[in-house]
Amino acid sequence: MTQSKAPFSTAEYERRLCKTRAAMADAGLDALFVTDPSNQAWLTGYDGWSFYVHQGVIVTMEGEPIWWGRYMDMMGGRRTCWMDHANILGYGDHFVQSTVVHPMQDLAEQLKTRGFTAARIGVEMENYYYSAKAHAVLTEELPEATLVDATALVNWQRLVKSDVEVDFIRKAARITEKVMLTAIDRAAPGVRKNDVVADIMKAGIEGIGDDWGDYPAIVPLTPSGLDATAAHLTWDGTPMRAGEATFFELSGCYRRYHAPISRTVFLGTPSDDMLRAEEAQLEGIAAGLEAARAGNRTSDIANAFMDVLAKHGIERSGRMGYPIGLSYPPDWGERTASIRTEDETVLQPGMVFHFMPALWMDSWGLETTETILIRENGAAEPLCDLERKLIVKG
Amino acid sequence: MTQSKAPFSTAEYERRLCKTRAAMADAGLDALFVTDPSNQAWLTGYDGWSFYVHQGVIVTMEGEPIWWGRYMDMMGGRRTCWMDHANILGYGDHFVQSTVVHPMQDLAEQLKTRGFTAARIGVEMENYYYSAKAHAVLTEELPEATLVDATALVNWQRLVKSDVEVDFIRKAARITEKVMLTAIDRAAPGVRKNDVVADIMKAGIEGIGDDWGDYPAIVPLTPSGLDATAAHLTWDGTPMRAGEATFFELSGCYRRYHAPISRTVFLGTPSDDMLRAEEAQLEGIAAGLEAARAGNRTSDIANAFMDVLAKHGIERSGRMGYPIGLSYPPDWGERTASIRTEDETVLQPGMVFHFMPALWMDSWGLETTETILIRENGAAEPLCDLERKLIVKG
């Protein structure tokens, strides 16, 4: 163990490793190769914008995890991981974006050297950072091994947060409040959207006091009017206009932990149908929070919301939320459970979700969402202290 | 064709389609499935932060390209793509992050419906957004088709920029100058790094005049002191200190086009070995720019730089640059040619590279880099007008 910038204690990392090994044992794995940057950071503390090249963490059934990446990033590994430097490996730069050789050839050698030539090795088949090519090369280089799909094996271990993780998310939530208030304050007819986003970004990265702001895994989503019927458009330089709704989906970020939230701002007087939708949405969220309690299921949250919507005669389908916490681009969701009618995940204290029952209509969108913590007792706790309503600016 | 927010003319998109089809013909492809968000945007104009779910562009040998993605993002496709709405397809939300069904099942149906059941279909095997799982499912769902690795087929078509693309990169370069001057101005002992980054972000997204700023594909890289020996660490809340070097690797972004650059700021009096390294680096960059001319090769740039370094007795290996332009996270490089001694790409007018001969030493890093345009005649043009030297603040 050496001194590093890793944000948690060695005991916390060992707890995580222990949970991961139990899941590996259940899956009959001898080793696991973790490519998701969030999983890497969760297990080792590794933190750098280097995930655009192949890198990952090797977990076996004993010893420290091994961080493996580009030689140039090994220095970043030494600075940020909690493990001994002997467990931070670098491959040569000639492997980077080459059409002749592939980094997975180096990884295969590392696995063979450690006795995993004919092992059962888990890989994250469904991950941004484990390409089809990477899998093909690793398969070819380890002909005697069995590569097993271990997608989300580590992600599932992250679902229930430790107390120190919840502390980090609460700090992120304070930053979220600040950025949302900045957005609401700045929104006005004639103000260019990019200027609003510039202030949001500045507010978020400044952070609050000693709690400096990190970059969120998703940029501010801030579409207005017709653009707000689409869920994921980013900003441009168009001035905001009276008579339009703008939704702000934003998150503060504290040391890679998130607490996303959405509010919708209407400049002028909203239409009656938007106000009716707001009423239904707020009532539905309240019902969802009541249903979001330990022992219930994710589907109970979705059904509670949908029942209210149906009562109000509004149709909606699709997912209404996902677990959040530690994350890297391009997604702040954890990609395990979903808040949707067909998901049967049992809620436990310490789970944190972005409860996201947005309404996207033909000509406008209404996003009012909360980051919620499942508690020992009672309804879920919304972690951001922000008035829950359609914000109308006259 | 319908009105959209796509930033280029239909003629420009048709030119791109035409180049892509020629490359497809050379590769003997009947169809191409493009997952790289940069390639999607380059072909169709699609622009949204939705690449964290499966989406892509189908290019066949006739007709418009087809954008395919999550149903929720189809609205974003209609708002941003240049094609007819009939060529913008959405799959149901139940496919999203499901462990039971996979979006590639829907894609396979779309391909079959269009007569590609037994076709030769190109896929981008080495891309963040084409997972090992996606490939496995698509292969299974199209048993009679031949899936061919077409990694970077579109990227290579992007290597030589059109005049309108160079205009966009020049606009990005103006924003880059602004953010770098902001960084240099703010850097001082006692100033927290995150506060510097907050101002960098704000300056970049405000943009310059009507040229509003977009989000760069990589966040500001701004490490100091020992952290600067690692290439890709992001910021934290530590105050800057006298006696330390900080490198700033930053890019403005104009409608997804980039012009990255690096400068190193030293607070205090730099050591003699850093000054010697600076002298070698600057002389090497000048030699590299001279070698970066149409008809020469990428390796000529690398060798010109390395020869100067060798003369100064400095050892360095690895890549020294890559083409840049349109990009999405996690990388602003185009992932085709590299500026390195073993790369033999012939330089042509209109190519734009981030020439990146950084020096990472044992106890400090020195990054001085340029975005350069290969011209019809003469040495390459550095697109940012910023003094090229180690910035010393006393």
Side-chain angles (χ1 to χ4, degrees), chain B residues 96-112:
Chain B
V96 174
Q97 296 174 10
S98 166
T99 52
V100 185
V101 288
H102 196 283
M104 288 296 142
Q105 295 173 312
D106 184 86
L107 181 72
E109 283 310 306
Q110 298 291 355
L111 288 165
K112 286 182 197 165

Side-chain angles (χ1 to χ4, degrees), chain A residues 328-339:
Chain A
Y328 284 84
D331 188 12
W332 57 40
E334 282 185 351
R335 296 183 299 287
T336 50
S338 287
I339 298 178

Side-chain angles (χ1 to χ4, degrees), chain A residues 5 49 52 73 79 96 102 125-126 128 131 133 192 194 199 202 205 209 213 227 232 235 330 340, chain B residues 5 49 52 73 79 96 102 125-126 128 131 133 192 194 199 202 205 209 213 227 232 235 330 340:
Chain A
K5 299 154 70 97
W49 191 288
Y52 67 90
D73 295 317
R79 301 285 299 158
V96 175
H102 195 283
M125 292 288 286
E126 184 71 301
Y128 313 110
S131 67
K133 176 79 175 180
R192 297 191 311 172
N194 65 303
D199 285 343
K202 180 174 157 77
I205 294 169
D227 283 352
H232 298 114
W235 65 87
R340 55 181 156 194
Chain B
K5 298 153 71 95
W49 191 288
Y52 67 90
D73 295 317
R79 301 285 297 157
V96 174
H102 196 283
M125 293 287 286
E126 183 71 301
Y128 313 109
S131 66
K133 177 78 175 182
R192 296 192 312 171
N194 65 304
D199 284 343
K202 180 174 157 76
I205 294 169
D227 282 351
H232 299 114
W235 64 88
R340 56 180 154 193

